[in-house]
Amino acid sequence: MSSVKLSSCVHHHSVRKSGSVPGSNRCFLRTPPFLLRQKFTALSVVREESNASIIHQEEAQSLSFDFMSYMIGKASSVNQALDSAVSLREPVKIHEAMRYSLLAGGKRVRPVLCIAACELVGGKESVALPAACAVEMIHTMSLIHDDLPCMDNDDLRRGKPTNHKVFGEDVAVLAGDALLSFAFEHLASTSGVAPARVVRAIGELARAVGSEGLVAGQIVDISSEGMDSNDVGLELLEFIHVHKTAVLLEAATVLGAIVGGGSDEEIEKLRKFARCIGLMFQVVDDILDVTKSSEELGKTAGKDLIADKLTYPKLMGLEKSKEFAERLMRDAQEQLQGFDSKKVEPLLALANYIAKRQN
């Protein structure tokens, strides 16, 4: 019996100008050691005993760790920092549009990951906040642009009308552009950290959002719309979501570890952890898209099905998708072995939250 090869939790993927996307002649990439080279089969047979012990450890820790209070406290710090960073100033209209989406709520998973990773390697929340806010600004930019009529054409985000519905398409494009550029300016303002580490963090974030990161996932996603699922496989779907979704969760975690003073070994273990939970985030998102209502999600449900996009339930089926998410959870947990058992509790709880979220 074969099993899923979880290589993308270990290896970095990048878009190249040689080769082609399976089933498409519209985008080009060299096939890396993808997560899913083999057919999806029973996932629970691999490393079952060690995985069970990790899960039991995580469940025991969750009894003593108040995750809700932790999330509320960290999200409050992030919200205050974002409100202060992007204040209402001239030109008023563009800053209104930026603030409308940036302060519209949201789970703040990425900035909390950044702070938790920083604290895990010995850093302080105050040191991580500029990086945490920078990632959230870029995430918000991606949502504003993703909702535009020329992209996903969505009218609802976080339970509110999307940015272009309130301010118009022209202002929405500019608001996203402004958030993207300001994210790097804000990250560069990090104090109390060695300049070399700040530069490293800026480079990490730039790669995550550029033509071999977030943009790569977006362009392959756009090009795959309407493709026959029989002509494409899980390799292509994994490429899209490792780049489109997982890359920012990975960047958030890695940035936290960098500014927090983590060693190269610690940074790479946290990178692998974040890549696994980043892909799990998208698998769960795909599942929720076909099992929840728009009211429950706070955004339009079933839009991927309407747009005929590639999703995990479409290619694997709903139950296999759920099993795959569980496997990714176990692999993510493995990467946290060896860290301080108390300091690692927030990341374990965050991974569990992503796996079990309902919106």
Side-chain angles (χ1 to χ4, degrees):
M1 182 179 291
S2 62
S3 62
V4 170
K5 183 178 180 182
L6 287 168
S7 59
S8 68
C9 292
V10 178
H11 301 287
H12 180 69
H13 303 338
S14 61
V15 175
R16 304 294 182 192
K17 291 185 178 180
S18 60
S20 62
V21 175
S24 171
N25 59 6
R26 287 173 284 181
C27 296
F28 300 90
L29 60 105
R30 177 179 297 155
T31 304
F34 281 101
L35 175 67
L36 299 167
R37 289 197 182 283
Q38 306 171 47
K39 285 186 177 181
F40 182 87
T41 58
L43 296 171
S44 58
V45 299
V46 183
R47 296 195 301 274
E48 192 150 333
E49 290 185 3
S50 62
N51 285 335
S53 66
I54 294 169
I55 292 170
H56 292 155
Q57 179 186 25
E58 185 264 331
E59 288 175 345
Q61 287 174 326
S62 68
L63 295 175
S64 61
F65 180 69
D66 189 347
F67 176 65
M68 187 57 66
S69 294
Y70 180 86
M71 281 294 289
I72 291 172
K74 296 303 183 187
S76 177
S77 295
V78 170
N79 288 334
Q80 290 177 29
L82 290 170
D83 185 33
S84 176
V86 185
S87 59
L88 190 58
R89 55 188 185 269
E90 294 291 342
V92 172
K93 191 170 188 178
I94 190 64
H95 288 99
E96 281 181 339
M98 293 164 69
R99 287 170 59 84
Y100 175 80
S101 294
L102 187 64
L103 304 178
K107 294 172 283 291
R108 305 303 192 205
V109 169
R110 292 157 191 82
V112 175
L113 272 172
C114 182
I115 294 169
C118 178
E119 292 178 333
L120 176 60
V121 299
K124 296 181 178 179
E125 177 188 294
S126 58
V127 167
L129 273 174
C133 289
V135 173
E136 191 68 2
M137 290 174 195
I138 289 177
H139 174 54
T140 302
M141 172 277 297
S142 73
L143 299 182
I144 293 172
H145 286 179
D146 218 29
D147 292 334
L148 288 167
C150 62
M151 299 286 280
D152 283 355
N153 192 25
D154 215 327
D155 297 342
L156 192 66
R157 173 71 65 178
R158 293 171 174 168
K160 299 171 64 176
T162 48
N163 197 288
H164 68 274
K165 283 293 181 180
V166 176
F167 296 95
E169 292 178 39
D170 49 358
V171 175
V173 169
L174 293 174
D177 292 346
L179 285 168
L180 175 61
S181 59
F182 186 63
F184 290 97
E185 179 183 343
H186 193 65
L187 178 56
S189 72
T190 303
S191 60
V193 177
R197 283 188 175 267
V198 177
V199 171
R200 182 178 178 182
I202 291 171
E204 183 77 34
L205 186 57
R207 283 189 296 274
V209 75
S211 62
E212 296 189 347
L214 176 62
V215 172
Q218 287 279 21
I219 191 64
V220 177
D221 187 31
I222 291 170
S223 301
S224 69
E225 288 183 20
M227 291 172 62
D228 190 330
S229 59
N230 294 321
D231 295 333
V232 296
L234 293 171
E235 289 184 354
L236 177 63
L237 185 58
E238 184 215 349
F239 181 91
I240 291 170
H241 294 313
V242 163
H243 291 78
K244 183 179 177 182
T245 303
V247 71
L248 275 186
L249 286 105
E250 178 182 328
T253 307
V254 170
L255 260 61
I258 291 172
V259 300
S263 66
D264 287 346
E265 181 182 0
E266 289 172 328
I267 290 169
E268 288 313 305
K269 286 189 74 173
L270 287 169
R271 183 190 299 280
K272 294 168 189 175
F273 161 79
R275 193 168 298 172
C276 286
I277 66 166
L279 190 54
M280 179 178 68
F281 189 99
Q282 186 59 52
V283 177
V284 172
D285 213 50
D286 285 354
I287 292 169
L288 293 176
D289 191 62
V290 296
T291 59
K292 298 293 182 180
S293 67
S294 297
E295 290 73 23
E296 290 173 306
L297 293 177
K299 60 182 180 179
T300 307
K303 64 177 184 178
D304 291 339
L305 184 64
I306 295 169
D308 199 22
K309 283 193 173 186
L310 295 177
T311 66
Y312 283 97
K314 181 178 179 179
L315 293 187
M316 303 170 80
L318 186 58
E319 290 307 312
K320 294 294 187 183
S321 297
K322 291 178 180 178
E323 292 175 23
F324 183 35
E326 292 170 2
R327 172 66 191 280
L328 287 166
M329 174 67 171
R330 293 193 292 268
D331 275 56
Q333 290 170 328
E334 284 187 359
Q335 297 302 324
L336 297 181
Q337 291 184 334
F339 286 105
D340 182 273
S341 60
K342 292 298 293 182
K343 288 185 176 181
V344 84
E345 285 180 335
L347 287 178
L348 283 171
L350 269 166
N352 191 54
Y353 169 72
I354 289 170
K356 296 181 178 180
R357 67 194 177 93
Q358 297 298 309
N359 58 35

PDB file of all heavy atoms in Angstrom, residues 51-61:
ATOM      1  N   ASN A  51       2.768   9.149  15.917  1.00  0.00           N
ATOM      2  CA  ASN A  51       1.759  10.189  15.729  1.00  0.00           C
ATOM      3  C   ASN A  51       0.762  10.187  16.888  1.00  0.00           C
ATOM      4  O   ASN A  51       0.339  11.236  17.362  1.00  0.00           O
ATOM      5  CB  ASN A  51       1.006   9.969  14.415  1.00  0.00           C
ATOM      6  CG  ASN A  51       1.840  10.347  13.213  1.00  0.00           C
ATOM      7  OD1 ASN A  51       2.749  11.158  13.323  1.00  0.00           O
ATOM      8  ND2 ASN A  51       1.546   9.736  12.077  1.00  0.00           N
ATOM      9  N   ALA A  52       0.387   8.993  17.344  1.00  0.00           N
ATOM     10  CA  ALA A  52      -0.581   8.896  18.441  1.00  0.00           C
ATOM     11  C   ALA A  52      -0.024   9.525  19.708  1.00  0.00           C
ATOM     12  O   ALA A  52      -0.724  10.228  20.433  1.00  0.00           O
ATOM     13  CB  ALA A  52      -0.936   7.430  18.698  1.00  0.00           C
ATOM     14  N   SER A  53       1.272   9.309  19.962  1.00  0.00           N
ATOM     15  CA  SER A  53       1.860   9.888  21.163  1.00  0.00           C
ATOM     16  C   SER A  53       1.911  11.399  21.078  1.00  0.00           C
ATOM     17  O   SER A  53       1.726  12.096  22.080  1.00  0.00           O
ATOM     18  CB  SER A  53       3.276   9.334  21.378  1.00  0.00           C
ATOM     19  OG  SER A  53       4.148   9.760  20.342  1.00  0.00           O
ATOM     20  N   ILE A  54       2.162  11.934  19.856  1.00  0.00           N
ATOM     21  CA  ILE A  54       2.188  13.387  19.673  1.00  0.00           C
ATOM     22  C   ILE A  54       0.809  13.970  19.938  1.00  0.00           C
ATOM     23  O   ILE A  54       0.648  14.984  20.616  1.00  0.00           O
ATOM     24  CB  ILE A  54       2.643  13.738  18.243  1.00  0.00           C
ATOM     25  CG1 ILE A  54       4.098  13.314  18.034  1.00  0.00           C
ATOM     26  CG2 ILE A  54       2.507  15.238  17.984  1.00  0.00           C
ATOM     27  CD1 ILE A  54       4.529  13.375  16.593  1.00  0.00           C
ATOM     28  N   ILE A  55      -0.220  13.317  19.406  1.00  0.00           N
ATOM     29  CA  ILE A  55      -1.582  13.812  19.568  1.00  0.00           C
ATOM     30  C   ILE A  55      -1.984  13.783  21.042  1.00  0.00           C
ATOM     31  O   ILE A  55      -2.574  14.730  21.555  1.00  0.00           O
ATOM     32  CB  ILE A  55      -2.560  12.962  18.724  1.00  0.00           C
ATOM     33  CG1 ILE A  55      -2.290  13.220  17.228  1.00  0.00           C
ATOM     34  CG2 ILE A  55      -3.996  13.300  19.051  1.00  0.00           C
ATOM     35  CD1 ILE A  55      -3.027  12.275  16.314  1.00  0.00           C
ATOM     36  N   HIS A  56      -1.624  12.696  21.755  1.00  0.00           N
ATOM     37  CA  HIS A  56      -1.964  12.617  23.166  1.00  0.00           C
ATOM     38  C   HIS A  56      -1.249  13.706  23.956  1.00  0.00           C
ATOM     39  O   HIS A  56      -1.819  14.292  24.870  1.00  0.00           O
ATOM     40  CB  HIS A  56      -1.588  11.235  23.709  1.00  0.00           C
ATOM     41  CG  HIS A  56      -2.439  10.135  23.150  1.00  0.00           C
ATOM     42  ND1 HIS A  56      -2.021   8.828  23.071  1.00  0.00           N
ATOM     43  CD2 HIS A  56      -3.698  10.164  22.619  1.00  0.00           C
ATOM     44  CE1 HIS A  56      -2.965   8.081  22.537  1.00  0.00           C
ATOM     45  NE2 HIS A  56      -3.990   8.870  22.243  1.00  0.00           N
ATOM     46  N   GLN A  57       0.004  13.977  23.586  1.00  0.00           N
ATOM     47  CA  GLN A  57       0.756  15.032  24.254  1.00  0.00           C
ATOM     48  C   GLN A  57       0.095  16.379  24.016  1.00  0.00           C
ATOM     49  O   GLN A  57      -0.063  17.186  24.934  1.00  0.00           O
ATOM     50  CB  GLN A  57       2.190  15.055  23.728  1.00  0.00           C
ATOM     51  CG  GLN A  57       3.056  16.152  24.354  1.00  0.00           C
ATOM     52  CD  GLN A  57       4.412  16.233  23.691  1.00  0.00           C
ATOM     53  OE1 GLN A  57       4.571  15.844  22.542  1.00  0.00           O
ATOM     54  NE2 GLN A  57       5.386  16.748  24.410  1.00  0.00           N
ATOM     55  N   GLU A  58      -0.323  16.621  22.777  1.00  0.00           N
ATOM     56  CA  GLU A  58      -0.952  17.899  22.439  1.00  0.00           C
ATOM     57  C   GLU A  58      -2.278  18.075  23.165  1.00  0.00           C
ATOM     58  O   GLU A  58      -2.606  19.148  23.660  1.00  0.00           O
ATOM     59  CB  GLU A  58      -1.159  17.963  20.921  1.00  0.00           C
ATOM     60  CG  GLU A  58      -1.697  19.287  20.406  1.00  0.00           C
ATOM     61  CD  GLU A  58      -3.210  19.266  20.243  1.00  0.00           C
ATOM     62  OE1 GLU A  58      -3.743  18.179  20.000  1.00  0.00           O
ATOM     63  OE2 GLU A  58      -3.832  20.326  20.370  1.00  0.00           O
ATOM     64  N   GLU A  59      -3.044  16.962  23.286  1.00  0.00           N
ATOM     65  CA  GLU A  59      -4.320  17.047  23.982  1.00  0.00           C
ATOM     66  C   GLU A  59      -4.112  17.329  25.474  1.00  0.00           C
ATOM     67  O   GLU A  59      -4.851  18.101  26.086  1.00  0.00           O
ATOM     68  CB  GLU A  59      -5.096  15.739  23.792  1.00  0.00           C
ATOM     69  CG  GLU A  59      -5.644  15.572  22.367  1.00  0.00           C
ATOM     70  CD  GLU A  59      -6.295  14.220  22.165  1.00  0.00           C
ATOM     71  OE1 GLU A  59      -6.066  13.324  23.006  1.00  0.00           O
ATOM     72  OE2 GLU A  59      -7.015  14.057  21.168  1.00  0.00           O
ATOM     73  N   ALA A  60      -3.071  16.697  26.056  1.00  0.00           N
ATOM     74  CA  ALA A  60      -2.793  16.916  27.468  1.00  0.00           C
ATOM     75  C   ALA A  60      -2.375  18.358  27.731  1.00  0.00           C
ATOM     76  O   ALA A  60      -2.796  18.982  28.706  1.00  0.00           O
ATOM     77  CB  ALA A  60      -1.689  15.963  27.930  1.00  0.00           C
ATOM     78  N   GLN A  61      -1.541  18.903  26.821  1.00  0.00           N
ATOM     79  CA  GLN A  61      -1.092  20.279  26.981  1.00  0.00           C
ATOM     80  C   GLN A  61      -2.245  21.263  26.855  1.00  0.00           C
ATOM     81  O   GLN A  61      -2.290  22.293  27.532  1.00  0.00           O
ATOM     82  CB  GLN A  61      -0.017  20.589  25.948  1.00  0.00           C
ATOM     83  CG  GLN A  61       1.318  19.928  26.242  1.00  0.00           C
ATOM     84  CD  GLN A  61       2.320  20.148  25.121  1.00  0.00           C
ATOM     85  OE1 GLN A  61       1.945  20.199  23.949  1.00  0.00           O
ATOM     86  NE2 GLN A  61       3.583  20.263  25.466  1.00  0.00           N
TER      87      GLN A  61
END
